[in-house]
Amino acid sequence: MKLLSINQLGVNYHKKEVLKNVSFSLNQGEIVGLVGSNGAGKTTLMKAILKFIPPNSGRITFQTDIKNVGALIEHPGLYPFLTGYEHLELFLAIHSTEQEIQKVVHRLDLNEFINLKIKDYSLGMKQRLGVGMALLNNPQLVILDEPMNGLDPRANKLLRETILTYAKEGTTFLISSHILSELKKIIHRTLLLKNGTIEQDIQMNEVNNEEFEDLLLSYWA
């Protein structure tokens, strides 16, 4: 089932054409990587999907309510004198229960620091909490912009396992990352974004690791 469809999307930002004729769709339970060099338009595309930036042309169609979308864009917005747990409480939907918080804390192994104030968090701890906030309330679509920033190998493994678990339960992911060695371990498809346009949509089961790496090298050459 298609959860999100984007057709001929165009976005101008500060009078510059950042996205042009972007078209793709996301299916339920897919993990899709969004790959491109700095300035390719990845974050702008994610912000447009989330309605933070209005498009100049094209259409974004959800098969779910925008309230069922979780996101971590760039860096999580956190309050230094609140604890991690208090942040999760702030984001807990009215219809959800404390069990939803406990599920996120358990899956991302946040117990060791969830009751500390944010001012005492490392970058990696903030990233893990930010992902937890995005996963709260069982979203149908989760958009993650560079979620692996600041994570050590153990935390990266935990994040991969968490994303795979949610995807098996039907959650769709769109993930942007420059850490391709981690990203390719979990994604089903890769969208290659260059100069504001999706140039290739690659099914990962149709290429081996060497072919994928050669393709990326030629793409950035």
Side-chain angles (χ1 to χ4, degrees), residues 23-39:
S23 297
F24 66 92
S25 61
L26 301 178
N27 300 314
Q28 185 175 13
E30 272 193 314
I31 306 172
V32 179
L34 181 62
V35 175
S37 59
N38 290 334

Side-chain angles (χ1 to χ4, degrees), residues 24-95:
F24 66 92
S25 61
L26 301 178
N27 300 314
Q28 185 175 13
E30 272 193 314
I31 306 172
V32 179
L34 181 62
V35 175
S37 59
N38 290 334
K42 301 185 300 298
T43 299
T44 298
L45 175 56
M46 290 178 159
K47 287 182 176 180
I49 294 171
L50 294 166
K51 302 186 183 298
F52 294 162
I53 298 175
N56 296 89
S57 59
R59 178 176 295 180
I60 301 172
T61 305
F62 286 95
Q63 297 302 321
T64 183
D65 193 303
I66 189 69
K67 293 178 183 177
N68 292 326
V69 179
L72 171 61
I73 301 295
E74 295 176 325
H75 305 289
L78 302 173
Y79 300 98
F81 293 102
L82 292 181
T83 67
Y85 194 92
E86 288 168 335
H87 278 82
L88 294 176
E89 285 183 317
L90 283 175
F91 277 78
L92 191 67
I94 293 174
H95 64 272

Side-chain angles (χ1 to χ4, degrees), residues 127-191:
Q127 285 295 102
R128 285 165 65 186
L129 178 63
V131 172
M133 290 160 64
L135 293 173
L136 202 62
N137 305 311
N138 286 314
Q140 290 185 277
L141 171 63
V142 177
I143 296 174
L144 301 175
D145 186 13
E146 300 292 346
M148 299 155 190
N149 276 357
L151 300 187
D152 60 26
R154 174 181 169 273
N156 263 322
K157 183 175 184 291
L158 190 63
L159 177 60
R160 292 198 310 269
E161 292 171 347
T162 300
I163 290 171
L164 289 169
T165 297
Y166 274 88
K168 287 177 182 177
E169 294 172 355
T171 303
T172 302
F173 286 86
L174 179 64
I175 306 172
S176 167
S177 179
H178 284 109
I179 308 175
L180 301 180
S181 59
E182 292 293 329
L183 189 62
K184 69 182 181 181
K185 292 176 182 177
I186 56 172
I187 54 177
H188 302 125
R189 290 163 53 208
T190 301
L191 302 174

